[in-house]
Amino acid sequence: MNRKRLGGLIKTIEAEITLGIFDYQKYFPKSKSVVKFKEIEQHETNAVQALKAPNSPRLAEFADIWLKEKKIEWSKGHYDDVDGILTKYLIPMFGNQKISGITKQQILQFRSILTKVPGQKEGCLGPITHQPYYDAAKNVDQ
């Protein structure tokens, strides 16, 4: 019976994580990590509010700061990949726009354009190839 209940609990937690509504403290109230997760949550909330403010930065300005912050977290290869994506695709497309003004529609349209960009080998960039570009665009907004 305990395994069955635990299996249900795991499914519930996974579903909440997928939906973005998981509350660590709800399931692990006595954990020492509660404070750490609350700080991360507060930081994310502050960042979202700042980006949605009327004086939010333009994508090019924000991307520059964001890249500098991420440089210490990423490998050189990953950093170079993301920097290349920003420089070659995202900045020319969205660089002068305020982050708060970039819409999901624009990102999806950008994603569609990428499928027509010639690839290194035969044909154009396919869905798997352009996923990192889409992820980079999505992550800059987080």
Side-chain angles (χ1 to χ4, degrees), residues 52-123:
K52 292 187 177 187
N55 61 346
S56 71
R58 300 193 183 285
L59 182 105
E61 299 162 355
F62 181 79
D64 183 53
I65 294 166
W66 179 73
L67 264 180
K68 287 175 184 170
E69 290 175 356
K70 294 296 183 180
K71 190 170 189 171
I72 61 171
E73 297 175 27
W74 294 342
S75 69
K76 181 177 178 356
H78 183 69
Y79 175 86
D80 290 344
D81 287 346
V82 174
D83 185 40
I85 291 167
L86 286 166
T87 303
K88 189 172 182 180
Y89 297 102
L90 292 172
I91 302 298
M93 183 71 120
F94 301 111
N96 290 326
Q97 290 185 327
K98 290 187 173 211
I99 290 179
S100 59
I102 299 172
T103 65
K104 182 177 181 180
Q105 168 90 22
Q106 289 173 306
I107 293 173
L108 292 175
Q109 191 173 27
F110 166 73
R111 188 176 176 186
S112 174
I113 291 167
L114 284 178
T115 63
K116 297 169 183 75
V117 171
Q120 291 180 359
K121 296 184 181 175
E122 300 173 15

Side-chain angles (χ1 to χ4, degrees), residues 3-17:
R3 287 181 188 246
K4 194 174 192 178
R5 286 178 45 196
L6 184 58
L9 180 62
I10 290 171
K11 285 183 181 181
T12 301
I13 290 173
E14 288 174 343
E16 288 181 9
I17 291 170

Side-chain angles (χ1 to χ4, degrees), residues 10-66:
I10 290 171
K11 285 183 181 181
T12 301
I13 290 173
E14 288 174 343
E16 288 181 9
I17 291 170
T18 301
L19 295 171
I21 60 171
F22 177 70
D23 180 10
Y24 185 86
Q25 186 174 6
K26 176 180 171 185
Y27 293 98
F28 309 102
K30 296 179 182 178
S31 171
K32 294 178 183 177
S33 296
V34 169
V35 173
K36 179 173 73 172
F37 285 112
K38 287 293 180 190
E39 287 173 358
I40 291 169
E41 186 178 311
Q42 185 60 48
H43 177 73
E44 289 174 352
T45 300
N46 293 345
V48 168
Q49 288 173 349
L51 291 175
K52 292 187 177 187
N55 61 346
S56 71
R58 300 193 183 285
L59 182 105
E61 299 162 355
F62 181 79
D64 183 53
I65 294 166
W66 179 73

Side-chain angles (χ1 to χ4, degrees), residues 78 81-82 85 90 114 126-139:
H78 183 69
D81 287 346
V82 174
I85 291 167
L90 292 172
L114 284 178
I128 293 172
T129 307
H130 77 262
Q131 189 63 41
Y133 298 82
Y134 177 71
D135 291 345
K138 198 169 66 172
N139 288 331

